[in-house]
């Protein structure tokens, strides 16, 4: 036992003690990779958690919640009585949960306005702290001065909350006789699942009984527009990091391989032979633990960008939540990757290759170039298959159910295969460059730099993948952003547009808005503003009970549907007026809808079946939308306040002038009016918000590239000390040595940039092809090569910077000591 | 004393073949070697560079396996053993002195020597390692790192590591290759004395005719075959 402890100390830990810098760099590299992969997981879990946690806090200890056909006022008021009368129910609390702004001269916050049966009116301490504040409602602004403060509300929805009697909320938020939810406290000893069944039977299939703390379906509209993109990002991040971490660990391992071979030669038991691996496992573990912190940092940036939008739209504050499984996954991932990297050398050390290992013969290196060409070809072929899959998944409006999984999987395959191809192509590209350099009589330092890189293809591939990852993601993010922007510009048609977008609160038009919508009286006042020819309202209602069944039902005053991208069937005003519907592609795919079939909608009065006239690619509700006539909307959901309002200009009235007139007409508090170009700019900004996570990832990748190049050079430099000594001995000056290392850095940067271009083009093509699957509309295909060049320059600068320390160390090698090392 | 109560040669090789694939060509390193070493005997193996001496030693020590032929180390057949059993054989029956030392740079001299004892789970390993180091004349260098030693000193550390476990078969690959003739002679005397003292067997690869002269028998390896034997 004591012997084992000593053996562990000697073989397993000594190295870390005498080479702290190398160990630290390896840890940092692992940590970087782990952070990257985990940040996306952490972001996703944090967003989900924030929503769930929010609902829990609002639930006030209830266990079940009955929700209606639509998100706002979807529950008939009589349901509360039916619920209360169901056996097993102790208390049934009817509520209205409106999301709406509170505006004070200093700030504007989105709050949850809760209407609760039997409650009196009050505000949280946080809201009470806002001076001269108004609560915006469908019935106009309500002054909050003098409202009673309820300290217990401080913890609900981050303190952004107002409560009021149920009847008051119903009249303020256009829900006469309607409820948003009924919370259920079961009687003592009642069985929850049988109670759920009884309740479901009592309220009818168009309503739903869900756990009180479950995610509200409307929240899914927000999360669904982020999470799939984040998921794609995760594929990218995890792909890059796993390849990187594995290679870094593998490199750290090459130092231990000889130790393992020697122990094996001396007759060490398999366990003893594996001991040098414990160091690497420790490195993986340490990297994983630090990686959790790094992940939290990266995730904070990403969540911050999402919060900016979600908090305003849904009133849900997003925060980072590190769950135990996520916190454990990172160190375990680090250990797992180390173990995988350890497997190869361990097998070699245990098998009869000990002799070969000891004589420094690497069985792999002999055939390595041919092998690499083969692998590069295989990965490129896989990449092409992936691209073909992306393309197939985008055909015919992506209506077939298989197209969604195939699209997502193909994109994953494309990116991972592209990355692996890059790892194999980089050494080959440098091999070619070496030929050129030799023919072109390049200096000895440059030639040696090229030879060094060609000779250790694994290492070179790792660094190139890191650099290419950073450059490629910049390219992809920029291309996606340009593509989406051009899509918006194409859709807005600014030069021909003759409207002004009128809203309360903000100019951004996103699929769900807060509650302060225009009342009929305010709309009438708008129509009378001089210069307004007519007012067009768009109305949207969210139905569905779970994230996967949400449908947005929409209409507008002018059923102007010609010229919109139709995938199947036909679209016309006449068809809509006959009671037929146009549905989005995601919904058609999900419910197997085709022209002529019927789409089933939950309504407060029961289930409605609407014939489908056509399927179109408009991105509302990420493609899960049903467009119907206003008459149908009123028939199904009653009269609804508008979500979007457009004021059309009379001929000759300049749009900017009309916008000014509307704002100063005083039709309501906090009215904004935006010209088409301003509206377009707001939409473009919201795209930028969606892409923000990509840029956060890109910065993380750039940092990772720096660490990867630095640690690789330091580790490689250590292994090459003897060689540097020999070069000095034959007359290489310290300057030549450092020049050689810096040239290697520059070459890695350049080849990484070049291949990052490949990764970028392939990734952009794949992403733009599958984006319709995720968001429900198609963007034009454009690339952003300028960004590639720009970020390529950054990458080269980063690799140069990373090679400075190793270059300095190479130049300051004590020649004699270096030569004596084994 | 003969390990495992075995009598007859401690090492017996017959009809050993070994070749390597290198790309498309095949390098034949050994082509039918017959050889034995008895207890208490020191056998020298000479031959040109590349004639297959190290390969032969690796096979004799169970580090490598022959393509054809039979190997008996203390009467046991490494080819018939599992990987762990072969490791166990090396641990108990074989002491290796490698051509390129193969000391672990992260361990001190005494720790390197101690390593086989630790792997064996032996008691008082530290003091035994120091004793053996003293017997090769390196007592004062015990706590240095291998990189701080001269080539000859490293060679003697490698020797101490091979001897410390008391293995009955010592395989030494040019143990005097890096030493001047005086030191080389001393190291060799030491090795042969130790082997004789415990009735062990020594197979010694060398380029040095003088060194070979101290052995009981000299075998010459030419193109993978034993060409001549002399006493
Ligand atoms: N793992 C291997 N892969 C390929 N060829 C090998 C391998 N090991 C040995 N060889 C070849 O086998 C032949 C014999 O090698 P070996 O190392 O046994 O020679 P040697 O007699 O010990 O030479 P030296 O006196 O120079 O040490 C050589 O041609 C060598 O190149
Ligand atoms: Mg040899």
């Amino acid at each position: 036992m004591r012997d084992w402890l000593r053996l562990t100390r000697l073989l397993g830990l000594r190295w870390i003690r005498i080479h702290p810098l190398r160990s630290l760099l390896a840890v940092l590299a692992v940590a970087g990779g782990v952070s990257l992969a985990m940040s996306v997981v952490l972001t996703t879990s944090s967003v989900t958690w924030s929503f769930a946690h929010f609902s829990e806090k609002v639930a006030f200890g209830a266990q079940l919640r009955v929700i209606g056909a639509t998100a706002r006022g979807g529950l008939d008021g009589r349901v509360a009585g039916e619920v209360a009368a169901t056996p097993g129910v102790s208390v049934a609390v009817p509520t209205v949960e409106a999301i709406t702004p509170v505006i004070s001269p200093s700030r504007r916050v989105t709050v949850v306005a809760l209407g609760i049966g039997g409650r009196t009116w009050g505000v949280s301490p946080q809201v009470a702290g806002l001076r001269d504040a108004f609560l915006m409602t469908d019935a106009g602004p309500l002054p909050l001065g003098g409202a009673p403060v309820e300290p217990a509300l401080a913890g609900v929805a981050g303190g952004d909350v107002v409560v009021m009697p149920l009847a008051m909320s119903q009249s303020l938020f256009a829900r006469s006789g309607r409820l948003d939810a009924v919370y259920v406290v079961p009687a003592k000893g009642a069985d929850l699942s049988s109670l759920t069944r009884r309740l479901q039977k009592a309220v009818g299939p168009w309503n739903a009984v869900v756990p009180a703390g479950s995610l509200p379906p409307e929240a899914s509209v927000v999360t669904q527009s982020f999470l799939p993109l984040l998921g794609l990002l995760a594929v990218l991040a995890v792909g890059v990091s796993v390849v990187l971490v594995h290679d870094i660990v593998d490199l750290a391992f090459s130092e231990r391989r000889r130790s393992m071979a020697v122990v094996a030669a001396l007759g060490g038991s398999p366990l003893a032979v594996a001991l040098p691996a414990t160091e690497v496992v420790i490195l993986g573990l340490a990297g994983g633990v630090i990686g959790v912190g790094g992940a939290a940092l990266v995730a904070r940036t990403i969540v911050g960008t999402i919060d900016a939008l979600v908090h305003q739209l849904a009133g849900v504050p997003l925060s980072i939540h590190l769950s135990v499984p996520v916190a454990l996954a990172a160190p375990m991932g680090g250990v797992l990757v180390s173990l995988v990297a350890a497997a190869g050398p361990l097998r070699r050390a245990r098998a009869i290759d000990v002799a070969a290992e000891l004589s420094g013969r690497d069985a792999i290196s002999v055939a390595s170039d041919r092998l690499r060409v083969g692998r590069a070809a295989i990965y490129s072929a896989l990449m092409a298959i992936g691209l073909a899959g992306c393309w197939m998944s985008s055909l015919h409006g992506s209506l077939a159910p298989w197209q969604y999984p195939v699209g997502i999987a193909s994109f994953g395959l494309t990116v991972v295969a592209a990355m692996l191809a890059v790892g194999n192509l980089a050494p080959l590209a440098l091999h070619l460059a070496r030929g050129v350099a030799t023919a072109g009589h390049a200096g000895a330092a440059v030639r040696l730099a090229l030879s060094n890189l060609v000779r250790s293809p694994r290492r070179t591939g790792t660094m190139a993948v890191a650099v290419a990852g950073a450059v490629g993601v910049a390219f992809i993010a920029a291309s996606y952003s340009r593509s989406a922007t051009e899509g918006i510009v194409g859709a807005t048609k600014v030069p021909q547009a003759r409207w002004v977008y009128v809203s309360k609160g903000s100019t951004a038009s996103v699929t769900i808005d807060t509650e302060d919508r225009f009342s009929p009286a305010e709309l009438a006042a708008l129509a009378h503003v001089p210069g307004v020819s007519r007012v067009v309202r768009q109305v949207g209602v969210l139905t569905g009970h779970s994230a996967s069944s949400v449908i947005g039902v929409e209409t507008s005053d002018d059923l102007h549907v010609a010229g919109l991208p139709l995938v199947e069937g036909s679209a016309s005003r006449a068809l809509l007026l006959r009671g037929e519907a146009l549905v989005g592609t995601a919904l058609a795919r999900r419910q197997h809808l085709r022209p002529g079939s019927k789409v089933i909608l939950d309504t407060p009065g029961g289930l409605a079946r609407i014939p489908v006239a056509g399927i179109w690619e408009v991105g509302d509700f990420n493609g899960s939308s049903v467009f119907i006539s206003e008459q149908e909307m009123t028939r199904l959901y009653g009269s609804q306040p508008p979500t979007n309002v457009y004021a059309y200009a009379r001929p000759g009235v300049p749009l900017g002038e009309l916008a000014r007139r509307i704002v100063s007409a005083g039709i309501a508090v906090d009215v904004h009016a935006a010209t088409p170009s301003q509206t377009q700019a707001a939409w473009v900004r919201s795209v930028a918000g969606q892409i923000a996570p990509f840029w956060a990832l890109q910065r993380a990748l750039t940092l990772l590239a720096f660490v990867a190049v630095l640690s690789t050079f330091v580790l490689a430099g250590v292994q090459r000390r003897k060689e540097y000594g020999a070069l000095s001995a034959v007359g290489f000056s310290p300057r030549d040595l450092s020049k050689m290392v810096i040239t290697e850095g520059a070459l890695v940067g350049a080849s990484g940039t070049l291949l990052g271009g490949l990764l970028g083009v392939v990734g952009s093509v794949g992403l733009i092809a599958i984006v319709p699957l995720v968001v429900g509309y198609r963007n034009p295909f454009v690339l952003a090569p300028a960004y590639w060049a720009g970020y390529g320059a950054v990458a080269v600068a980063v690799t140069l910077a990373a090679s400075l320390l190793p270059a300095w160390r190479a130049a300051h090698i004590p020649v004699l000591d270096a030569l004596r090392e084994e | 004393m003969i390990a495992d109560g075995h009598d007859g040669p401690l090492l017996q090789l017959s009809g050993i073949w070994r070749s390597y694939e290198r790309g498309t060509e095949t390098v034949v390193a050994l082509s039918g070697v017959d050889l034995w070493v008895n207890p208490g005997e020191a056998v020298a193996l000479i031959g040109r560079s590349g004639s297959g001496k190290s390969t032969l030693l690796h096979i004799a020590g169970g580090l490598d396996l022959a393509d054809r032929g039979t190997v008996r180390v203390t009467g046991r057949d490494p080819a018939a053993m599992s990987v762990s059993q072969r490791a166990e054989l090396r641990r108990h029956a074989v002491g290796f002195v490698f051509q390129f030392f193969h000391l672990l740079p992260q361990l001190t001299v005494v720790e390197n020597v101690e390593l086989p004892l630790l792997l064996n789970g032996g008691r008082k390993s530290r003091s035994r390692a120091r004793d053996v180091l003293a017997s090769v004349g390196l007592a004062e260098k015990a706590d240095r790192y291998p990189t701080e030693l001269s080539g000859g000193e490293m060679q003697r550390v490698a020797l101490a590591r091979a001897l410390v476990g008391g293995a009955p078969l010592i395989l030494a690959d040019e143990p005097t290759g890096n030493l001047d003739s005086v030191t080389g002679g001393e190291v060799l005397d030491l090795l042969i004395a130790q082997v004789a003292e415990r009735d062990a067997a020594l197979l010694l690869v060398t380029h040095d005719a003088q060194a070979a002269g101290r052995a009981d028998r000299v075998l010459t390896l030419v193109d993978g075959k034993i060409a001549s034997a002399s006493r």
Side-chain angles (χ1 to χ4, degrees):
Chain A
M1 189 62 219
R2 263 193 47 231
D3 287 337
W4 275 103
L5 284 179
R6 283 209 54 209
L7 262 181
T8 312
R9 247 185 35 232
L10 293 184
L11 296 174
L13 303 173
R14 175 66 63 79
W15 199 288
I16 295 179
R17 216 184 73 205
I18 58 178
H19 297 299
L21 176 67
R22 282 181 236 179
S23 306
L24 181 70
L25 283 173
V27 167
L28 285 183
V30 173
V34 170
S35 316
L36 203 62
M38 292 308 297
S39 64
V40 182
V41 178
L42 190 55
T43 301
T44 314
S45 66
S46 293
V47 170
T48 316
W49 180 85
S50 295
F51 272 102
H53 189 67
F54 169 79
S55 315
E56 263 165 38
K57 280 280 171 75
V58 174
F60 301 113
Q63 298 216 24
L64 295 173
R65 188 167 55 144
V66 179
I67 54 173
T70 65
R72 286 165 185 172
L75 212 52
D76 194 300
R78 283 165 299 196
V79 171
E82 288 160 14
V83 170
T86 305
V89 172
S90 161
V91 186
V93 186
T95 63
V96 164
E97 300 165 356
I99 308 296
T100 189
V102 164
I103 298 178
S104 80
S106 58
R107 272 186 72 203
R108 175 197 164 89
V109 289
T110 304
V111 302
V112 186
L114 285 174
I116 302 175
R119 280 294 289 263
T120 54
W121 136 255
V123 298
S124 68
Q126 289 95 325
V127 172
L130 298 168
R131 296 179 157 277
D132 300 325
F134 287 86
L135 179 72
M136 305 306 286
T137 75
D138 289 318
L142 177 79
L144 289 178
V149 181
E150 292 202 23
L153 294 177
V156 178
D160 296 335
V161 64
V162 171
V163 290
M164 59 184 71
L166 184 66
M168 177 174 168
S169 65
Q170 283 174 319
S171 71
L172 286 179
F173 297 108
R175 286 168 173 82
S176 61
R178 296 280 180 77
L179 302 170
D180 288 357
V182 177
Y183 283 89
V184 177
V185 180
K188 268 213 180 69
D191 174 49
L192 219 53
S193 61
S194 62
L195 177 59
T196 305
R197 270 197 304 279
R198 278 200 300 280
L199 281 171
Q200 185 66 66
K201 228 173 135 192
V203 299
W206 53 93
N207 298 317
V209 183
V210 297
S214 68
L215 211 61
E218 63 267 31
S220 69
V221 173
V222 180
T223 53
Q224 270 178 8
S225 62
F226 283 101
L227 296 186
L229 268 181
L230 276 176
L232 299 181
L233 206 58
V235 172
L236 247 164
V238 172
V240 175
S241 349
V242 166
V243 172
L244 260 175
V245 171
H246 177 271
D247 287 2
I248 293 281
V249 168
D250 191 62
L251 198 62
F253 231 116
S254 60
E255 295 191 313
R256 278 84 177 173
R257 279 172 63 166
R258 238 180 45 106
S259 300
M260 293 162 86
V262 170
V263 175
L266 294 177
S269 65
L271 200 61
V273 173
L275 275 180
T278 53
E279 279 177 302
V280 179
V281 172
I282 289 172
L283 296 186
L285 186 68
V289 170
I290 299 178
V292 176
L297 278 179
V298 179
R300 240 189 38 199
T301 328
I302 301 180
V303 168
T305 61
I306 302 177
D307 179 62
L309 233 124
V310 171
H311 197 169
Q312 199 205 73
L313 286 179
V316 179
L318 299 185
S319 57
I320 292 290
H321 174 69
L322 189 60
S323 64
V324 175
V326 173
L328 288 183
M332 272 163 46
V335 169
L336 198 75
V337 174
S338 332
L339 286 178
V340 169
L346 261 179
R347 215 179 40 235
R348 264 171 80 75
R350 285 203 55 199
I352 48 160
D353 302 25
V354 179
E357 182 80 48
L358 281 178
S359 35
R361 284 180 237 259
D362 199 340
I364 302 159
S365 69
V366 184
S368 102
D369 248 1
R370 214 176 325 139
L371 203 72
R372 237 151 252 288
V373 174
R375 281 201 201 143
I378 290 173
Y379 293 136
S380 303
L382 285 176
M383 189 172 84
I385 291 173
L387 277 181
C390 291
W391 172 72
M392 275 166 59
S393 76
S394 75
L395 290 179
H396 308 304
S398 315
L399 296 183
W402 60 264
Q403 284 177 305
Y404 188 86
V406 164
I408 302 294
S410 298
F411 180 67
L413 175 68
T414 307
V415 171
V416 171
M419 231 123 51
L420 291 169
V422 164
N424 285 284
L425 283 171
L428 291 175
L430 290 164
H431 202 142
L432 290 179
R434 181 170 66 169
V436 174
T438 313
H441 308 289
V446 174
R447 279 204 222 173
L448 269 173
L450 277 164
S451 299
N452 286 338
L453 292 173
V454 171
R455 201 186 46 181
S456 357
R458 268 303 280 276
R459 209 175 276 171
T460 307
T462 303
M463 295 189 285
V465 165
V467 175
V471 176
V473 167
F475 196 157
I476 295 172
S479 298
Y480 177 76
S481 161
R482 268 196 59 188
S483 156
T485 304
E486 289 200 6
I488 289 168
V489 170
T492 339
K493 300 199 189 75
V494 172
Q496 295 101 294
R498 290 296 295 152
W499 46 259
V500 168
Y501 179 74
V502 188
S503 63
K504 292 186 182 179
S506 75
T507 47
S509 156
V510 192
T511 19
I512 57 172
D513 299 78
T514 45
E515 300 267 355
D516 56 333
R517 292 163 297 183
F518 288 101
S519 66
E522 288 165 344
L523 288 173
L526 177 62
H528 283 103
V529 172
V532 172
S533 67
R534 65 196 165 103
V535 172
V536 170
R537 298 167 305 156
Q538 290 178 349
V539 174
V541 171
L542 262 176
T543 82
H545 302 131
S546 67
S548 57
S549 67
V550 160
I551 300 174
V553 185
E554 309 173 280
T555 186
S556 80
D557 286 338
D558 67 342
L559 299 175
H560 197 72
V561 292
L564 286 165
L566 198 67
V567 178
E568 267 190 25
S570 42
S572 74
R573 205 183 138 80
L575 283 170
L576 289 166
L577 286 175
R578 247 175 38 203
E580 298 197 14
L582 290 169
V583 303
T585 47
L587 180 62
R589 180 170 60 242
R590 210 167 70 201
Q591 297 197 354
H592 310 281
L593 299 174
R594 294 293 178 275
S597 51
K598 288 192 166 145
V599 55
I600 299 174
L601 295 175
D602 296 326
T603 77
L607 299 177
R609 290 177 173 73
I610 315 289
V612 174
I615 296 162
W616 63 356
E617 253 176 349
V618 295
D620 300 1
F621 302 96
N622 301 326
S624 289
S625 63
V626 173
F627 190 84
I628 50 178
S629 69
E630 205 207 330
Q631 292 92 304
E632 279 291 288
M633 180 68 102
T634 313
R635 182 174 75 80
L636 298 176
Y637 297 101
S639 166
Q640 295 279 332
T643 26
N644 295 314
V645 172
Y646 295 86
Y648 276 76
R650 283 184 196 287
V653 180
L655 295 176
E657 169 59 25
L658 185 63
R660 265 188 301 281
R661 282 189 210 164
I662 291 171
V663 170
S664 54
I667 52 175
V669 175
D670 201 29
V671 168
H672 293 248
T675 61
S677 57
Q678 288 167 333
T679 309
Q680 179 179 310
W683 285 341
V684 168
R685 272 199 302 280
S686 79
V687 167
Q690 280 177 38
I691 306 205
F694 276 89
W695 288 114
L697 178 81
Q698 201 278 332
R699 282 191 292 279
L701 273 169
T702 306
L703 190 68
L704 188 61
F706 177 79
V707 175
V709 172
L710 175 62
S711 62
T712 309
F713 275 160
V714 167
L715 290 178
V718 168
Q719 290 172 353
R720 285 202 218 134
R721 266 168 71 91
K722 199 170 171 184
E723 227 176 282
Y724 293 163
L727 285 171
S728 295
V730 301
F732 246 57
S733 71
R735 259 199 66 183
D736 290 333
L737 281 176
S738 52
K739 193 174 147 200
M740 179 180 87
V741 175
I742 290 178
T743 308
E744 282 181 50
L747 286 168
V748 165
S751 57
T753 298
L754 202 70
L755 294 165
L758 173 79
L759 185 63
V761 170
V762 168
S764 304
V765 170
L767 184 64
I768 295 174
I770 64 154
V771 148
L773 285 172
V774 178
V775 300
Y777 62 93
R778 202 164 290 268
N779 285 319
F781 181 79
V782 279
L783 294 177
Y787 274 81
W788 169 58
Y791 278 86
V794 172
V796 173
V798 162
T799 50
L800 278 178
S803 60
L804 289 182
L805 172 71
W808 185 88
R809 282 165 67 110
H812 290 79
I813 268 199
V815 179
L816 286 176
D817 285 0
L819 281 174
R820 303 170 58 135
E821 278 171 16
E822 263 203 81
Chain B
M1 177 209 88
I2 295 166
D4 304 346
H6 161 82
D7 46 29
L10 271 173
L11 173 68
Q12 181 150 29
L13 307 178
S14 37
I16 300 295
W17 286 74
R18 179 72 167 103
S19 56
Y20 296 103
E21 302 292 330
R22 219 165 6 188
T24 46
E25 58 173 325
T26 303
V27 181
V28 180
L30 299 173
S31 46
V33 172
D34 298 309
L35 173 159
W36 68 93
V37 189
N38 288 318
E41 194 182 24
V43 174
L45 185 65
I46 57 176
R48 292 183 148 205
S49 177
S51 57
K53 304 181 297 293
S54 295
T55 304
L56 186 68
L57 233 55
H58 290 153
I59 288 175
L63 266 186
D64 197 356
L65 292 180
D67 299 331
R68 250 192 291 155
T70 56
V71 179
R72 293 286 179 276
V73 180
T74 64
R76 302 199 288 156
D77 177 9
M81 294 179 178
S82 71
V83 173
S84 337
Q85 285 170 327
R86 255 201 311 276
E88 199 237 79
L89 177 76
R90 286 199 294 273
R91 204 155 67 225
H92 293 289
V94 183
F96 253 112
V97 185
F98 296 103
Q99 187 171 4
F100 303 105
F101 322 142
H102 295 318
L103 302 177
L104 293 184
Q106 72 269 38
L107 302 187
T108 61
V109 164
V110 66
E111 284 165 350
N112 264 291
V113 174
E114 196 188 349
L115 196 54
L117 296 177
L118 287 176
L119 293 174
N120 253 334
R123 315 235 116 235
K124 301 220 181 106
S125 50
R126 180 56 65 99
S127 59
R128 270 178 64 195
R130 283 190 191 277
D131 289 346
V132 179
L133 267 180
S135 74
V136 297
L138 282 177
E140 325 83 84
K141 308 266 165 102
D143 296 313
R144 301 238 192 132
Y145 284 94
T147 49
E148 298 164 347
L149 302 183
S150 75
E153 287 167 338
M154 285 195 236
Q155 188 100 65
R156 278 185 278 162
V157 177
L159 203 66
R161 187 177 63 184
L163 293 173
V164 75
L169 175 64
I170 306 291
L171 302 170
D173 202 345
E174 301 193 30
T176 60
N178 295 284
L179 306 179
D180 63 87
S181 59
V182 176
T183 322
E186 283 171 17
V187 165
L188 217 54
D189 285 341
L190 192 83
L191 190 57
I192 292 175
Q194 292 267 351
V195 166
E197 188 181 307
R198 27 176 148 133
D199 215 7
L202 171 66
L203 181 59
L204 169 77
V205 168
T206 182
H207 279 303
D208 176 3
Q210 206 189 334
R214 296 177 194 236
D216 301 315
R217 270 191 294 143
V218 181
L219 307 175
T220 309
L221 200 57
V222 177
D223 292 341
K225 271 204 226 23
I226 302 288
S228 66
S230 63
R231 247 179 216 271

